[in-house]
Amino acid sequence: MSHFFTPSGLRSRSDEVRLKAARDLQKFVSTELRELPDDRCAPILEEVNQNIFTLVSSAEVHEKKGGILAIVSLTGCSNLTRLSRFAIYLRNIVPHNDVTLTEMTAKAIGQLALWEGTYPAVQFELKRATEWLGGVEQKKLAALLILRELANHTPTLFYQQIQSFFEDIFAAIRDPKPLIRESAVSVLRACLRLAAQRETKEGENDKLYERSYREAISGIQEGNPAKDRDDRVHGSLLIINELIVNSAWPDESIRAEVTEGDEPADISGLDSLWN
């Protein structure tokens, strides 16, 4: 069992080697381990958990990534208790100053929320992300990436809570840091797409569009401070673009044509395990 967690496995500095080790671990747990009686299987799984905890607690980014890959590889063959433990492991990784690690963790949190499928788990992540939107750069980025992944993986639960954080997105869209602005726009995009896909009480989704439009206009009006005018104008243009592309088009084929190819590339390698 320990060979999965060595420098030639999940502790490797190579992305490809870590990914292969995670796949091998997934295969071992989902096939060979299932053939063992419970009294032999339980201690092996506990050893796996301990090794994963050691990885995600490491000071080395590549080892943390190995732990994340191990978690994602085992989500489909884990019970709710183990999934809850994995969720705690992931929550303790962010915020972090390594952007690729933060994005990878956010994707794993979204995937884990899908497998957990419980309202309290998603509500916890949404609440924490909402609190972090007003925090320092690292927290803000983690919050935005987690919101995006929750929208992708648990859209129904995400949409139920959309009003609790929707207005906070716009401040991030005008952030001086381009990465924060781009991440915030990805959350706005997810919100508007979900709104366009859902039939709600009369005027409920219109409020999202109206709020977005007002924010866009406010950023290009005269009288804004000169020192951050470029950021505000850029943010407004980003909002207008999302309103055009992601509102409720009468012909969905138009939306498909306009949005073709606009999904961000996966930089973490996690999608290879999820599919």
Side-chain angles (χ1 to χ4, degrees), residues 81-263:
T81 299
R82 190 169 298 110
L83 289 175
S84 297
R85 183 185 298 185
F86 287 164
I88 294 172
Y89 293 172
L90 293 173
R91 289 167 187 165
N92 290 333
I93 295 176
V94 289
H96 197 278
N97 58 10
D98 186 284
V99 174
T100 62
L101 178 64
T102 300
E103 182 158 9
M104 192 176 186
T105 305
K107 289 183 178 183
I109 287 173
Q111 178 68 5
L112 207 63
L114 173 64
W115 282 99
E116 282 186 292
T118 61
Y119 177 75
V122 176
Q123 187 181 42
F124 176 90
E125 297 296 348
L126 287 173
K127 183 176 183 297
R128 186 175 72 153
T130 302
E131 293 171 351
W132 282 4
L133 283 175
V136 296
E137 180 183 346
Q138 293 173 1
K139 284 189 174 182
K140 191 181 299 182
L141 178 61
L144 292 166
L145 295 176
I146 289 170
L147 287 174
R148 184 189 69 188
E149 296 305 318
L150 291 176
N152 291 337
H153 290 91
T154 58
T156 299
L157 294 175
F158 178 89
Y159 189 75
Q160 290 173 1
Q161 300 293 313
I162 202 169
Q163 296 293 346
S164 66
F165 58 82
F166 186 74
E167 295 200 6
D168 296 324
I169 297 172
F170 298 107
I173 290 178
R174 296 194 176 90
D175 193 273
K177 299 286 186 179
L179 181 58
I180 297 294
R181 289 202 298 270
E182 293 165 7
S183 300
V185 167
S186 71
V187 179
L188 177 63
R189 180 182 305 128
C191 292
L192 294 178
R193 286 184 178 179
L194 289 177
Q197 294 166 3
R198 280 163 169 73
E199 294 183 5
T200 59
K201 297 178 182 178
E202 186 176 355
E204 190 170 319
N205 282 342
D206 290 344
K207 294 178 181 178
L208 299 182
Y209 301 131
E210 290 172 4
R211 177 60 172 165
S212 299
Y213 177 75
R214 289 198 304 271
E215 286 288 340
I217 296 302
S218 70
I220 56 179
Q221 288 178 334
E222 295 296 332
N224 287 321
K227 65 175 183 178
D228 62 352
R229 177 171 173 76
D230 289 347
D231 294 337
R232 296 183 67 84
V233 170
H234 182 228
S236 291
L237 293 175
L238 291 173
I239 296 170
I240 291 171
N241 179 71
E242 296 306 324
L243 282 170
I244 292 172
V245 174
N246 297 299
S247 298
W249 292 77
D251 184 353
E252 287 297 318
S253 64
I254 298 176
R255 184 205 305 277
E257 181 178 346
V258 173
T259 60
E260 183 178 1
D262 70 344
E263 293 299 326

Side-chain angles (χ1 to χ4, degrees), residues 50-64:
Q50 289 298 324
N51 277 289
I52 291 175
F53 176 76
T54 299
L55 286 178
V56 297
S57 302
S58 170
E60 299 290 339
V61 169
H62 67 278
E63 293 189 359
K64 288 181 182 291

Side-chain angles (χ1 to χ4, degrees), residues 1-6 10 25 28-29 33 36 41 43-49 51 74:
M1 170 57 61
S2 60
H3 68 278
F4 292 115
F5 301 92
T6 63
L10 288 165
L25 176 63
F28 172 76
V29 172
L33 203 56
L36 298 178
C41 181
I44 295 176
L45 287 175
E46 184 57 31
E47 182 183 349
V48 169
N49 291 339
N51 277 289
L74 299 180

